[in-house]
Amino acid sequence: MSNWKMPKVLPSEITPREVYQRRREFMRIAASAALAAAMPGGLFAGERLPNLVKSAYELPDKLTPVGDVTRYNNFYEFGTDKESPAQNAGSLKTRPWTVAVEGEVRNPKVWDIDSLMKLVPLEERVYRLRCVEAWSMVIPWVGFPLAELIKRAEPNGNAKFVEFVTLNDPGQMPGVKSSALDWPYREGLRMDEAMHPLALLTFGLYGEVLPNQNGAPVRIVLPWKYGYKSAKSIVGIRFVEQMPLTSWVKAGPGEYGFYANVNPAVDHPRWSQAKERRIGDFFKRQTLPFNGYAEQVAQLYTGMDLQKFF
Ligand SMILES: Nc1nc2c(c(=O)[nH]1)N[C@H]1C(S)=C(S)[C@@H](COP(=O)(O)O)O[C@H]1N2
Ligand SMILES: [Mo]
């Protein structure tokens, strides 16, 4: 190491600092993508999504490297360890795939996934994802507002909630043989939450189709809520009158609420929710109310006791 010399001209001296940093960020992402592609189990499908619309949603946060996004997951149908989904989700068959839109709507329809993806132009939006386990990531998701699909379904007056039902196939999903959760994994939203423009029906990340472990071929992303609300590998979207009993509420009603809005003031009974560790960071950071999206979504909850409706 002793004969190693500092290069005379640092890249930071010959390019504007911003360009240099952006290039470094790009190289870091490219490196982790290459690494992920080299890993077994098809970690990153590598299938580009065409004609992406650049979103108006900007975030100052640094992106989480794709290798972390695709190798540190929660997807209990493929095992409960963070590494299990990347190792086991290769067995998920994402074609043919349909999503049944049904219940209290004027236009029920079984959508083929490829038509659903073309409903409106796909957008890339960088959203934070905050898990209830107090880690977080920043991911460039690709999709369109769930509201676009809901509008076409024309919910009737009885539709007060939306329920998401996900695939439950023991042949493809080794984890559903265990009783870790009540399968199929179910999630839900109140109608006004589901119609919010930040609720994203998601088909990809980092410009490519969703890797299986991230919920291929279609999932929900709700950036102001804990990650468990963002149901993966959806096969049904049901409009219902009663608040759906979701898998996590059923598993532990004292620990997991229906609303699950990110709230540093309401602790999980077994740990604090005041701070989070951004994956890749050493130091923890303060968790923001509604995961930093309070300005956009807080008005959905005015008058509600958020200690009670957690
Ligand atoms: N079907 C299904 N969807 C799911 C889960 C799951 O176990 N099964 N886990 C949830 C949890 S707890 C989190 S934090 C996010 C994780 O998404 P990611 O692995 O893409 O980061 O997915 C959510 N969606
Ligand atoms: Mo989570």
Side-chain angles (χ1 to χ4, degrees):
M1 271 341 222
S2 58
N3 56 5
W4 186 84
K5 294 217 178 63
M6 276 288 276
K8 284 207 190 73
V9 183
L10 288 166
S12 54
E13 291 173 311
I14 53 173
T15 55
R17 214 168 81 100
E18 257 192 32
V19 174
Y20 166 66
Q21 284 179 336
R22 221 179 297 137
R23 186 186 301 153
R24 278 187 38 164
E25 175 75 3
F26 174 77
M27 278 159 44
R28 211 164 53 78
I29 290 166
S32 53
L35 193 64
M39 295 279 290
L43 283 177
F44 209 42
E47 207 182 305
R48 298 296 303 172
L49 286 162
N51 310 322
L52 293 191
V53 177
K54 249 304 179 234
S55 168
Y57 289 83
E58 289 284 346
L59 267 194
D61 307 39
K62 203 173 69 172
L63 298 180
T64 302
V66 70
D68 292 329
V69 175
T70 59
R71 264 178 287 168
Y72 190 86
N73 300 103
N74 270 341
F75 199 167
Y76 279 16
E77 289 87 331
F78 294 103
T80 51
D81 293 338
K82 302 294 170 222
E83 303 76 31
S84 303
Q87 286 161 2
N88 301 332
S91 54
L92 178 67
K93 273 184 51 209
T94 58
R95 292 294 187 287
W97 190 281
T98 57
V99 179
V101 177
E102 58 196 22
E104 301 287 352
V105 290
R106 287 182 197 94
N107 302 322
K109 180 176 166 136
V110 177
W111 286 88
D112 178 73
I113 187 70
D114 293 305
S115 333
L116 184 59
M117 277 176 80
K118 290 182 204 126
L119 188 63
V120 293
L122 295 175
E123 239 184 274
E124 180 168 86
R125 291 186 177 185
V126 177
Y127 281 175
R128 304 181 189 98
L129 183 134
R130 167 61 154 82
C131 182
V132 75
E133 295 162 285
W135 48 266
S136 62
M137 299 196 193
V138 181
I139 303 170
W141 301 104
V142 178
F144 56 73
L146 176 63
E148 295 286 351
L149 177 60
I150 297 179
K151 275 188 277 179
R152 284 160 179 83
E154 292 188 38
N156 65 38
N158 295 331
K160 301 290 194 308
F161 294 90
V162 188
E163 181 180 44
F164 306 107
V165 185
T166 71
L167 187 70
N168 176 19
D169 182 350
Q172 303 184 52
M173 301 172 137
V176 300
K177 286 167 200 143
S178 93
S179 52
L181 284 173
D182 187 42
W183 315 107
Y185 191 100
R186 284 166 200 275
E187 259 309 333
L189 293 170
R190 217 170 53 192
M191 270 308 274
D192 59 341
E193 299 180 304
M195 288 297 291
H196 193 282
L198 285 180
L200 201 69
L201 194 63
T202 305
F203 302 90
L205 57 82
Y206 269 105
E208 304 191 356
V209 300
L210 281 174
N212 290 352
Q213 62 269 35
N214 293 92
V218 60
R219 67 175 292 172
I220 299 290
V221 178
L222 304 156
W224 72 99
K225 293 179 178 285
Y226 290 118
Y228 67 86
K229 297 298 288 181
S230 296
K232 293 175 167 180
S233 304
I234 293 170
V235 294
I237 299 179
R238 286 187 194 145
F239 295 80
V240 295
E241 194 161 9
Q242 303 298 325
M243 180 183 280
L245 180 56
T246 64
S247 295
W248 280 107
V249 171
K250 200 167 176 184
E255 302 194 21
Y256 309 98
F258 176 81
Y259 286 95
N261 292 316
V262 174
N263 190 345
V266 175
D267 289 340
H268 184 281
R270 288 183 281 138
W271 56 79
S272 165
Q273 293 291 15
K275 288 184 177 174
E276 70 199 61
R277 191 188 308 281
R278 187 64 52 83
I279 296 295
D281 283 3
F282 182 74
F283 292 106
K284 287 187 178 171
R285 64 178 69 208
Q286 221 66 46
T287 286
L288 301 170
F290 299 104
N291 204 22
Y293 299 90
E295 211 177 294
Q296 292 96 322
V297 301
Q299 92 282 350
L300 292 170
Y301 310 101
T302 41
M304 276 175 66
D305 179 352
L306 297 180
Q307 299 277 335
K308 192 169 163 219
F309 299 103
F310 59 93

